[in-house]
Amino acid sequence: MSEDKRGILAKFFFTVMLFCAVVWIWAVGIIMAWPWDKDGDWKPEFRVAAVCAENEICSIPYGQLAQAREKALYSTLAIPGDAGEVMEKDGWIQWKKVNDLIELKFSSWHFQTVIRYKLENEVPVLVESQDVTVKALYYALAGAGLTLLGFWLRKFRK
């Protein structure tokens, strides 16, 4: 391979690696700035932490809580301890208690849902939620593309 082709390949590789790093930076920033919904409306797919079979922590979608209670799939929604995590088939669940609020994060490779709720007589009351979807990645890709375009256009400044 000639020296000229190696130089082009090296520049291409550097550009791709820079693009990946900038996408990551944009994605972290966008996820941190993603807005919180404070309307108190539960989506049926939002998960609630519960004590299930053999006193293990699990999560139940809010839309299925009534059915799960009827079938005795969980014993209580008051989870013991201050924090924890568990892997379920659809994603990773992490929770922590802050004063009287429970913050539950359900995430996978293409989404992250964080809800903050409190329990009033074994009934979860939603305080706020943050539902980050794959749109965050699309925004990060666009931001990274514009950033690299800005780097390239900077070469033409005098």
Side-chain angles (χ1 to χ4, degrees), residues 56-73:
E56 292 192 17
I57 305 297
C58 66
S59 73
I60 300 170
Y62 180 79
Q64 298 174 7
L65 269 179
Q67 295 168 344
R69 185 176 298 141
E70 288 174 4
K71 295 179 182 177
L73 296 178

Side-chain angles (χ1 to χ4, degrees), residues 2-3 19 39 49 60 68 95 111 114-115 132 138-139 143 150:
S2 71
E3 190 68 33
F19 180 74
D39 58 6
I60 300 170
W95 68 89
F111 71 90
V114 181
I115 61 170
V132 180
Y138 297 150
Y139 295 147

Side-chain angles (χ1 to χ4, degrees), residues 56-126:
E56 292 192 17
I57 305 297
C58 66
S59 73
I60 300 170
Y62 180 79
Q64 298 174 7
L65 269 179
Q67 295 168 344
R69 185 176 298 141
E70 288 174 4
K71 295 179 182 177
L73 296 178
Y74 70 92
S75 58
T76 183
L77 295 178
I79 52 177
D82 290 332
E85 53 190 34
V86 67
M87 182 71 183
E88 291 193 346
K89 71 175 187 162
D90 296 334
W92 189 255
I93 296 173
Q94 298 172 316
W95 68 89
K96 64 181 175 182
K97 290 182 185 176
V98 180
N99 298 328
D100 63 338
L101 289 179
I102 299 170
E103 180 177 291
L104 186 130
K105 182 190 304 182
F106 183 58
S107 57
S108 182
W109 68 275
H110 65 292
F111 71 90
Q112 172 179 294
T113 302
V114 181
I115 61 170
R116 292 179 181 149
Y117 65 96
K118 57 187 173 180
L119 292 176
E120 293 179 358
N121 298 325
E122 282 289 315
V123 176
V125 177
L126 185 64

Side-chain angles (χ1 to χ4, degrees), residues 26-37 43 45-46 104-115 128-140:
W26 271 95
V28 169
I30 289 170
I31 289 171
M32 290 176 68
W34 203 263
W36 286 84
D37 291 328
K43 291 183 183 175
E45 66 270 10
F46 282 176
L104 186 130
K105 182 190 304 182
F106 183 58
S107 57
S108 182
W109 68 275
H110 65 292
F111 71 90
Q112 172 179 294
T113 302
V114 181
I115 61 170
E128 59 186 353
S129 64
Q130 183 185 51
D131 199 12
V132 180
T133 61
V134 74
K135 286 193 295 187
L137 176 62
Y138 297 150
Y139 295 147

